[in-house]
Amino acid sequence: MKLGKWARLFLAAAPLLSGCKGFWDVPSGSGGSGGGGTTSGVFYVLNQKTAQIAAYTIASGSTTLTAVTNSPYSLGTTVPYTMAISPNGGFLYVGTVVGIFVYSVGSDGALTILNGGQVITSDFAFTMQVDASGSWLIDAVSGIGAVNAIPLDPTTGLVLSGATEESVTVPSTAVRRVTITQAGAPNPYVFVAMGSGGTAVIPFTATSSTNPFGTVSVIKPINTTTGGSIAVAVDLSRQLLYVGETVAVSGSNPGGLRVFAIGANSTMSEISGSPYPSGGVGPGAILPTSNYVYVANSSVTGSSTGNIQGFAVTTTGTVYSLTSVSTIAAGLTTIAMEEENTGTYLLAVNSGGGPDLNVFTFDTTTAGKLDSYTTASTGSDPVQPVAVVAVP
């Protein structure tokens, strides 16, 4: 799909809209391990302003980042927007203004560009995720009312030979985030946050040899006049959909987290108590862990920084409920979160800096509570980080 004619529109909107949580499968850390005594897994930060992929680990006992071999990786003059990693951790996809590049991931996290350094598709991906089978790369572009499915060869990371990219039309061009249900989900879907257009619900058949998308339906935002869906994520084990909406609750910080039980035939049932106040104005990133879900607010009324609100997720029979467990300050315009694969560190990137990266650990006394561990620059500032992903 050729999307170059939309480039100027997306460049203007980019600081507010970029890929991050919700575009990849999250590691299964328990959210209660403490931190500081464990070497982290490899993670990648996408710096938009400097067009670089910065790859890091955190050494045991250290509060500084350790760069992976040859990091940072330059994208030249190509402006990047989003990243996604394959479920097996073998391939990293980077969406840019000219299309999507793919890298192989070495055992130490080092990246090697594939496909002769050429894009695998000219889609101007603004948000994307690889499905659990590794067979489809789902991308969407703000300004285009469509979601695309690129067929992949899971063994090479490249486009499947002889296969064709597929698309489905969605009823809004204000695409913000995309996410996919987990492996083995009884009712598999793609979900798309579409701003004031609400949240698209798209049945998804990964085993299809043709178009994997079904008929699109929409969850309308609570406030259809001034509110909108800006983040989506799915629970790691429960059949729950999380939606971050603006103007969803009353008060000076009206951001809200809506929670839906995922059913068959595109039936999404909002749980009792939803929406839950997110503690800020713009709940733009959502990170589920095994028993908790964290919501990053890009701004907070009365504060110069954003924050992260944590909730415990409880299941009683077939009834789900959320309970607030902690709130902690983050940086300016927190735009993406990830949990690295040891389950020790929660990573949050801030496109406005102050700092580029917050690293949190999980409190050893209060389950689910975040503790500030360290902060870091992810390049020669200003770098404007817009995405973070971790090797599973």
Side-chain angles (χ1 to χ4, degrees), residues 181-189 191 203-205 235-240 261-266 268 320:
T181 46
Q182 303 289 346
N187 302 293
Y189 298 95
F191 300 104
F204 177 72
T205 305
D235 197 271
L236 297 186
S237 58
R238 305 166 186 84
Q239 298 307 301
L240 292 177
I262 300 171
N265 303 314
S266 297
M268 303 293 140
Y320 303 102

Side-chain angles (χ1 to χ4, degrees), residues 190-211:
V190 170
F191 300 104
V192 186
M194 304 185 298
S196 61
T199 302
V201 178
I202 311 171
F204 177 72
T205 305
T207 56
S208 174
S209 60
T210 55
N211 196 322

Side-chain angles (χ1 to χ4, degrees), residues 142-156:
S142 195
I144 301 286
V147 177
N148 309 308
I150 302 160
L152 300 176
D153 182 335
T155 63
T156 66

Side-chain angles (χ1 to χ4, degrees), residues 36-210:
T38 303
T39 299
S40 77
V42 175
F43 59 93
Y44 304 94
V45 177
L46 187 62
N47 294 326
Q48 185 176 78
K49 193 173 184 66
T50 55
Q52 292 177 327
I53 308 162
Y56 299 107
T57 60
I58 302 171
S60 177
S62 176
T63 56
T64 60
L65 306 183
T66 301
V68 168
T69 301
N70 297 324
S71 175
Y73 301 89
S74 176
L75 293 162
T77 59
T78 302
V79 180
Y81 285 85
T82 185
M83 292 190 297
I85 197 161
S86 62
N88 65 6
F91 305 102
L92 179 73
Y93 299 86
V94 180
T96 75
V97 71
V98 300
I100 300 173
F101 294 93
V102 59
Y103 296 80
S104 65
V105 179
S107 59
D108 61 351
L111 299 178
T112 302
I113 195 164
L114 300 179
N115 202 40
Q118 302 301 305
V119 297
I120 60 170
T121 173
S122 59
D123 288 3
F124 182 175
F126 213 66
T127 170
M128 61 186 182
Q129 182 179 349
V130 183
D131 87 299
S133 72
S135 300
W136 296 96
L137 176 61
I138 307 301
D139 75 59
V141 182
S142 195
I144 301 286
V147 177
N148 309 308
I150 302 160
L152 300 176
D153 182 335
T155 63
T156 66
L158 301 177
V159 175
L160 184 66
S161 178
T164 303
E165 182 171 335
E166 305 287 350
S167 297
V168 65
T169 300
V170 293
S172 174
T173 61
V175 173
R176 303 292 297 261
R177 307 267 185 175
V178 64
T179 194
I180 311 170
T181 46
Q182 303 289 346
N187 302 293
Y189 298 95
V190 170
F191 300 104
V192 186
M194 304 185 298
S196 61
T199 302
V201 178
I202 311 171
F204 177 72
T205 305
T207 56
S208 174
S209 60
T210 55

